[in-house]
Amino acid sequence: MSGTRAEHLRRLRLRWVHLLLGGALLMPYFLLTTVVISVAVPGADPLRQPGWQLAAYGLSLPPAAATALLPLTRTLESTAARTLCRTPGEEPTTAPATSWAARRRTAVWFTLHLGLGAPVSGATLAIPPTAAVLTAMPFSPELRESRWQWHWNTPDTALWTAPATAAALLAALVAAVWAAGALLARCAPALLGPHPRTGWPPPRPAPPRSPPATGSPANCTTASATH
């Protein structure tokens, strides 16, 4: 049981790193999109306004998908997926995408990788410090008196709900990472698998042909021709 638990933790860590890599890869596209939005829309501030941040996030995905049409993108993404994603079944191939079918599947994978990695990266940067502050708040008068005070510290709600909320936030982060990593691992063989011509799933092999039974018309014809 302990070995299985250790393997699950190792898989979770590797997939977490894989998602953080996706978030890092999206940053150039996101920053470029924020500059374009700031210039094109007067008063828009994608770095501070949540609505424009979501818009910049969504608009940064199509340029990322276009970049994935380059043949070597499949090699880089497949290498990372084989090392970090722990895909079940057939592993991704590291050969460059030589057909448009393989390039399209790579673009879908790249968009999925970056699209899931960006929110996971943001949550990884934001939730652990917030959880640390919430956990320490019942023991620190300075935190309770600062602007980070727990707004639910009322006569009807105890201050100890802050550590409980911190634990819930951390559990939600781990669950989100597990779900996103499992989704990428399940999609990797289909989108990065070694079937650039026929697509996925690969064609099923034809069932083996059984030899004709004794006394069949074919055997009778052969026997008569021999005699």
Side-chain angles (χ1 to χ4, degrees):
M1 181 64 67
S2 59
T4 303
R5 184 178 302 174
E7 176 61 26
H8 287 328
L9 291 176
R10 174 176 170 80
R11 183 181 304 172
L12 177 65
R13 291 196 300 267
L14 290 175
R15 290 178 178 178
W16 204 327
V17 173
H18 187 248
L19 289 165
L20 295 179
L21 175 62
L25 291 174
L26 188 65
M27 283 304 298
Y29 305 97
F30 178 79
L31 293 177
L32 178 61
T33 306
T34 57
V35 172
V36 173
I37 291 177
S38 300
V39 173
V41 182
D45 190 358
L47 296 179
R48 293 182 177 87
Q49 299 173 348
W52 284 112
Q53 285 182 355
L54 292 176
Y57 163 74
L59 293 175
S60 62
L61 294 177
T67 305
L69 295 177
L70 298 175
L72 288 180
T73 304
R74 187 167 183 249
T75 300
L76 298 175
E77 284 292 302
S78 297
T79 302
R82 287 168 65 98
T83 305
L84 300 173
C85 207
R86 293 298 181 94
T87 59
E90 188 173 9
E91 292 187 350
T93 179
T94 56
T98 56
S99 66
W100 280 107
R103 294 182 186 184
R104 287 191 297 268
R105 294 201 312 274
T106 305
V108 174
W109 165 263
F110 196 62
T111 305
L112 187 64
H113 182 198
L114 273 60
L116 292 176
V120 168
S121 299
T124 302
L125 291 174
I127 290 181
T130 303
V133 171
L134 291 175
T135 303
M137 190 167 290
F139 312 99
S140 175
E142 291 79 7
L143 289 176
R144 294 198 298 269
E145 295 172 0
S146 67
R147 65 188 182 94
W148 300 105
Q149 60 182 324
W150 185 238
H151 296 287
W152 287 269
N153 184 22
T154 62
D156 297 331
T157 305
L159 185 62
W160 293 100
T161 55
T165 303
L169 287 175
L170 292 175
L173 175 60
V174 173
V177 171
W178 180 86
L183 177 60
L184 285 175
R186 184 169 294 274
C187 293
L191 298 176
L192 299 175
H195 301 283
R197 295 183 180 180
T198 58
W200 188 271
R204 296 182 178 180
R209 299 180 62 182
S210 57
T214 305
S216 63
N219 285 343
C220 293
T221 304
T222 305
S224 60
T226 303
H227 291 292

